[in-house]
Amino acid sequence: MNVRPPLDGNLSIFGAQWGDEGKGKVVDFFCENVDIVVRFAGGNNAGHTLVVGGLEVAVHLLPSGAVRPSAICVLGAGMVIDPSALLEEMQMLADVGCSLDAKRLKLSSRAQLVLPYHRQIDALREGGPNAIGTTKRGIGPAYEDKAARRGLRAGDLRDGASLRAKLERAIADVTPQIVAAGGQPPELVPLFDALAAQAETLRPHITETEPLLARWMRGGKRVLFEGAQGAMLDIDHGTYPFVTSSTTLPAGACAGAGVAPRALGAIVGVSKAYVTRVGAGPMPSELDEAESERLRSHGGEFGATTGRARRCGWLDLPALRHALTVSGADYLALTKLDVLAAFERIKVCEAYMLDGERLAIDAFPASADELARATPVYREMAGFAGISGDERSFEALPQTARDFIAYVEQALELPVCLVSIGPQRDATIVRS
Ligand code: GDP
Ligand code: IMO
Ligand code: MG
């Protein structure tokens, strides 16, 4: 069994829980030897935090590779891009010395646009009884417009005259539902004027990224595909309907970046040593509020995008096994082991009980109602007292942490290739 991804060839890194697994940190770590970093799905619902040289940066639309001066960043066709958020983020990065000129940031002309009325619809719905706790960034409504074939795309920003006509049509389409939900109808002129101004700055970055990627790969460049959200938020395989509106799995990178499945390279799923979730939906190993609060405060579990307190629970192996299966993961990266150093005893959910029966580890319920009825069967273990964050080899970790890793590997039948023991880039141990 190989215990680490090859150091040549492409890499795909994705979340194997409900998001916020520490993907940004893991991507940043692996970016050292990568030429191109590609985001392929989602939008600024993501929040990936990087801590580099004492500076903390959270990226939302841009790939985490943006802080590596030599990496080219690609925003793929499968993404939904809010132009105002993208410009803000480019400015934020420029302010910390990571400018992205048109050579270094490429936006697919095929990516969909998130417009202010998408955010408006998202917020109006979330005010109702069926709220799923979205990030209110307009992600669901933008993907709905894409599927309804009335969305505007980044390429539309290249032609002012047709942009205005397309925007007018789109506004006519969405206005009835906004008015019915009690919202103000969007106004064409201010919306067009703002978009036209944003288009000026974004235009040099907008291009057909697909043949570029193909050419780079033919030339031997190394590409990293950076997942957003997590497998449990995937539109098909997540805890539907409490999911996001895109394919978050590595498979989504093929369509979302326009590359062959074989281009994905080694697939690394990222998981915390426990679980968190923001938003509504079932989470069988969720702790009660007092215990959740303890994990939250030790782990700093507040959303990088919305600042919401994350719901916390013990590591859930049936959910993780499902995530890794539907993702086709080759390796697991385990993050935040240091957080469990504060706990004398920890638990791991190794199976679910559902309606009086113990389910096999690979029988993850497809129905959110069933999952809400599932109760965890726990294995108790010692916490990881002694982790300082300065360890740089597996052997240097306390025996309790090594036992935990071995147990997880055996239950999931997958090697742990990387362990993260702090938010900083170098608080990382790679299997050798
Ligand atoms: P992402 O969305 O998957 O990139 O994850 P987020 O950035 O939203 O949330 C992960 C949080 O955990 C961030 O604040 C990271 O800086 C932090 N983090 C990542 N890895 C570790 C780790 O090993 N230990 C600790 N203590 N924090 C970590
Ligand atoms: P990263 O990339 C955690 C969640 C929302 C909500 C659901 C749908 O940082 O891991 P949406 O706004 O996408 O329509 O919300 O998905 N969600 C995330 N949770 N991390 C994320 O991204 C998320 N992106 C969306 O909280 O439950
Ligand atoms: Mg996040």
Side-chain angles (χ1 to χ4, degrees):
M1 175 162 80
N2 280 332
V3 290
R4 63 189 273 177
L7 290 176
D8 50 0
N10 294 350
L11 267 183
S12 297
I13 296 180
F14 72 97
Q17 295 174 311
W18 283 279
D20 303 329
E21 299 88 351
K23 297 176 291 294
K25 169 181 166 165
V26 174
V27 167
D28 172 62
F29 179 81
F30 279 119
C31 267
E32 185 169 11
N33 304 306
V34 155
D35 302 297
I36 299 136
V37 191
V38 183
R39 271 281 306 269
F40 55 84
N44 59 330
N45 47 348
H48 301 172
T49 316
L50 317 163
V51 182
V52 184
L55 183 73
E56 185 177 290
V57 178
V59 289
H60 301 278
L61 278 164
L62 294 167
S64 301
V67 300
R68 297 272 189 180
S70 61
I72 294 177
C73 298
V74 174
L75 304 179
M79 289 189 73
V80 288
I81 307 286
D82 184 329
S84 58
L86 179 56
L87 289 169
E88 230 174 78
E89 202 168 316
M90 288 164 66
Q91 186 58 53
M92 179 275 289
L93 279 180
D95 291 346
V96 297
C98 302
S99 295
L100 287 142
D101 63 13
K103 276 206 188 105
R104 203 156 92 75
L105 174 64
K106 307 282 182 191
L107 165 58
S108 170
S109 52
R110 295 175 167 91
Q112 295 281 322
L113 296 183
V114 177
L115 296 171
Y117 53 81
H118 292 124
R119 292 197 299 269
Q120 192 186 3
I121 296 170
D122 202 353
L124 283 167
R125 282 189 197 150
E126 285 293 302
N130 298 320
I132 52 174
T134 74
T135 58
K136 297 189 191 163
R137 299 295 189 266
I139 306 299
Y143 276 116
E144 286 168 31
D145 276 1
K146 169 181 173 174
R149 294 162 292 189
R150 62 172 175 233
L152 272 70
R153 308 205 295 181
D156 293 325
L157 297 176
R158 295 193 286 211
D159 175 353
S162 79
L163 175 66
R164 193 185 167 104
K166 284 178 184 164
L167 193 58
E168 193 167 7
R169 257 201 320 275
I171 288 178
D173 273 340
V174 297
T175 296
Q177 61 165 309
I178 293 176
V179 173
Q184 287 296 318
E187 284 179 46
L188 175 66
V189 174
L191 225 164
F192 174 73
D193 288 349
L195 203 51
Q198 291 156 357
E200 283 301 311
T201 317
L202 290 178
R203 209 168 283 135
H205 298 273
I206 301 170
T207 185
E208 282 61 50
T209 54
E210 301 77 15
L212 272 181
L213 267 177
R215 194 182 323 140
W216 285 328
M217 286 193 283
R218 270 199 307 274
K221 299 283 187 208
R222 195 166 181 229
V223 181
L224 189 155
F225 297 95
E226 171 175 341
Q229 290 75 55
M232 303 309 288
L233 292 171
D234 178 75
I235 182 82
D236 295 300
H237 296 283
T239 49
Y240 191 86
F242 302 100
V243 293
T244 190
S245 300
S246 61
T247 299
T248 62
L249 307 179
C254 304
V259 298
R262 65 181 168 277
L264 297 184
I267 298 180
V268 181
V270 184
S271 165
K272 283 175 184 160
Y274 50 95
V275 292
T276 62
R277 173 165 206 172
V278 268
M283 184 180 164
S285 63
E286 183 167 15
L287 291 165
D288 67 27
E289 191 37 44
E291 285 181 295
S292 193
E293 174 51 33
R294 190 159 167 237
L295 205 44
R296 186 180 304 129
S297 61
H298 282 293
E301 296 298 352
F302 295 89
T305 298
T306 58
R308 289 178 288 177
R310 296 174 179 151
R311 299 159 61 192
C312 298
W314 297 121
L315 186 65
D316 180 337
L317 290 179
L320 186 51
R321 176 134 182 166
H322 168 70
L324 297 167
T325 301
V326 295
S327 308
D330 300 307
Y331 304 93
L332 182 65
L334 272 179
T335 62
K336 305 194 91 157
L337 265 77
D338 54 306
V339 175
L340 297 184
F343 291 75
E344 204 173 306
R345 307 290 296 168
I346 63 165
K347 289 180 187 171
V348 176
C349 166
E350 56 182 13
Y352 297 149
M353 294 296 292
L354 180 65
D355 303 335
E357 266 183 58
R358 184 184 165 122
L359 301 182
I361 189 171
D362 56 357
F364 185 76
S367 141
D369 294 337
E370 282 186 5
L371 194 60
R373 291 205 305 279
T375 53
V377 177
Y378 284 123
R379 171 177 291 240
E380 218 179 292
M381 300 180 180
F384 310 149
I387 292 189
S388 67
D390 294 330
E391 297 81 359
R392 293 296 175 262
S393 70
F394 268 63
E395 292 66 35
L397 288 171
Q399 189 61 43
T400 49
R402 289 159 67 186
D403 289 347
F404 169 84
I405 295 166
Y407 166 68
V408 168
E409 285 184 316
Q410 184 233 323
L412 300 173
E413 300 179 81
L414 213 61
V416 170
C417 67
L418 177 149
V419 167
S420 172
I421 48 172
Q424 310 81 5
R425 186 180 276 170
D426 63 351
T428 311
I429 303 174
V430 188
R431 268 273 167 83
S432 51

